[in-house]
Amino acid sequence: MNRNIRVALWLVGGLVFMGGLAFASVPLYRAFCNATGFGGTTMRADKAPKVATDVIVRVRFDTNTNGLPWTFKAEKPYQDVRIGKTAMMYFTVTNTADRPVTGRSVFNVLPDTMGGYYRKLQCFCYEDQTLQAGESKTFPMVYFLDPELLKNIDTHKVRDVTLSYTFFESKAAKK
């Protein structure tokens, strides 16, 4: 095989590799954020911690919709919780359209260094929610702040956290 063909094959191979890497980057980044809490992504938990501390953190709740004819709000704008103690917040969603609409909520925590320590035991955000025309539903969200955050130099002094939810129309429902 002559040199020009080899160089062309290496270039085509490099192009295919880079295209595949670009195609896989979004799911890989999402998996990385879900596994580590990077970028404020909250973590799922199977059980609550056995020990709660006396340290209080104010958790604020920000609710939004994007392209959905829904109203969406938290029962209270914030909650003061002890690190390690399980807490619950209720969210009310109302479909203001004259047709059924299916939405899915995405979420984020600020400051983003707290994402890995904000643990959810139960959340409406893990699956699509369908509301009939004019229907309202109230959803619970059960969570805790992992006591391990007190050992991290970036989070041990944080006393104000914001959990932000945004409802979008479900891609699965559109199909």
Side-chain angles (χ1 to χ4, degrees):
M1 194 181 314
N2 76 27
R3 185 171 183 239
N4 289 340
I5 293 175
R6 252 184 307 179
V7 168
L9 288 174
W10 273 103
L11 290 174
V12 168
L15 182 66
V16 168
F17 175 76
M18 295 301 280
L21 193 59
F23 181 75
S25 64
V26 171
L28 288 174
Y29 179 74
R30 187 173 294 133
F32 172 76
C33 289
N34 287 336
T36 64
F38 183 77
T41 303
T42 64
M43 307 288 287
R44 283 188 184 192
D46 296 325
K47 61 183 178 178
K50 295 178 180 169
V51 177
T53 70
D54 291 331
V55 179
I56 303 290
V57 173
R58 178 162 284 181
V59 179
R60 298 177 190 278
F61 301 99
D62 174 47
T63 55
N64 307 284
T65 60
N66 186 339
L68 278 179
W70 288 7
T71 60
F72 176 39
K73 64 180 182 171
E75 177 182 51
K76 295 186 274 185
Y78 66 87
Q79 238 176 359
D80 292 331
V81 298
R82 290 176 39 209
I83 293 174
K85 182 161 176 54
T86 301
M88 181 183 292
M89 177 56 68
Y90 290 95
F91 295 84
T92 302
V93 183
T94 303
N95 180 1
T96 59
D98 58 358
R99 61 181 171 79
V101 178
T102 300
R104 179 172 287 240
S105 178
V106 296
F107 48 86
N108 202 316
V109 174
L110 292 173
D112 60 0
T113 54
M114 291 291 289
Y117 301 103
Y118 194 106
R119 308 285 177 134
K120 294 180 184 177
L121 293 165
Q122 176 186 348
C123 186
F124 57 91
C125 56
Y126 296 139
E127 29 189 66
D128 286 352
Q129 304 298 331
T130 300
L131 297 175
Q132 299 303 314
E135 181 182 17
S136 291
K137 283 188 181 177
T138 300
F139 299 107
M141 188 264 303
V142 181
Y143 69 100
F144 64 89
L145 298 174
D146 191 331
E148 290 294 311
L149 73 88
L150 295 172
K151 297 177 184 175
N152 184 326
I153 194 167
D154 293 327
T155 57
H156 75 280
K157 291 186 179 180
V158 173
R159 297 298 176 263
D160 202 336
V161 176
T162 301
L163 175 64
S164 182
Y165 281 110
T166 303
F167 259 110
F168 291 87
E169 188 160 1
S170 171
K171 290 180 183 177
K174 283 183 179 181
K175 292 179 184 177

